[in-house]
């Protein structure tokens, strides 16, 4: 399976480009900015992008949705609880002195427990509210990988001081949806380096003990 990372935008979002090596079908996760670089990488891999998936609706993760969707013809997916973020991405970015564009409306809603297939590859959708109401993680069981968006980071967790955030909900999501995965599962957050479930169980100060 192709599993590439392109770091995009001024906030250093990890955009993931996934692909089935047998069929060439692919997925772009969190195209937050720098759509041209993302599309160049997709072309270099020879992928036909079937889906664009947002782990959550914050502006730094959705700013490249429109150009990537338009260039690839992919369907856009996000959890229904985060749809309200899409139409105000530009205004929120401006509050931080940054620029981005609003996202189009989604074609499909992410649903907890559903699976998403591209070629011969499959990912499970884990609804993990807390950082945002509709935050989701993407679990690739066969590959032993989980994309956690801004739910879980290496030795940290997502911020919960935003409107609609909840620290209690975030920690419940981590306990019930992520810490139940095998310790060897590789964790790929929305920002920063990768880690593993086992390492976070031992060393993450929000979780350990």
């Amino acid at each position: 399976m192709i599993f590439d990372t392109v770091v995009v935008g001024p906030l250093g979002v990890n955009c993931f480009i996934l692909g089935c090596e047998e069929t060439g079908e692919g997925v772009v996760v969190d195209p937050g900015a720098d759509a041209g670089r993302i599309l160049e990488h997709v072309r270099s891999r020879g992928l036909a992008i079937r889906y664009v998936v947002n782990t959550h609706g914050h502006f730094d993760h959705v700013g490249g949705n429109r150009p990537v969707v338009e260039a690839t013809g992919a369907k856009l997916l996000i959890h229904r609880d985060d749809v309200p973020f899409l139409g105000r991405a530009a205004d929120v970015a401006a509050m931080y002195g940054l620029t981005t564009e609003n996202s189009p409306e989604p074609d499909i809603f992410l649903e907890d427990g559903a699976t998403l297939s591209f070629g011969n590859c499959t990912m499970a959708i884990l609804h993990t509210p807390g950082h945002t109401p509709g935050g989701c993680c993407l679990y690739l069981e066969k590959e032993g990988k989980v994309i956690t968006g801004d739910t879980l980071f290496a030795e940290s967790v997502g911020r919960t001081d935003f409107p609609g955030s909840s620290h209690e909900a975030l920690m419940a999501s981590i306990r019930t949806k992520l810490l139940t995965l095998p310790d060897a599962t590789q964790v790929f957050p929305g920002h920063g380096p990768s880690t593993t479930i086992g390492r976070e169980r031992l060393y993450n100060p929000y979780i350990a003990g």
Side-chain angles (χ1 to χ4, degrees), residues 92-184:
V92 176
M95 294 169 58
Y96 294 89
L98 302 172
T99 59
T100 193
E101 62 178 291
N102 293 335
S103 169
E105 292 291 299
D107 300 292
I108 304 169
F109 294 127
L110 297 175
E111 301 281 356
D112 186 50
T115 58
L116 195 64
S117 298
F118 50 103
N120 298 321
C121 301
T122 302
M123 64 172 69
I125 310 304
L126 309 177
H127 181 212
T128 53
H131 180 66
T132 64
C136 289
C137 297
L138 312 173
Y139 181 40
L140 299 113
E141 182 176 10
K142 183 178 177 182
E143 288 75 24
K145 295 178 169 64
V146 62
I147 296 171
T148 56
D150 287 5
T151 296
L152 179 65
F153 300 111
E155 299 187 22
S156 189
V157 298
R159 288 178 58 176
T160 54
D161 56 341
F162 299 122
S165 299
S166 165
H167 183 73
E168 292 74 17
L170 181 75
M171 296 312 298
S173 293
I174 291 170
R175 286 194 305 271
T176 62
K177 299 292 181 68
L178 297 179
L179 294 184
T180 56
L181 302 179
D183 280 353

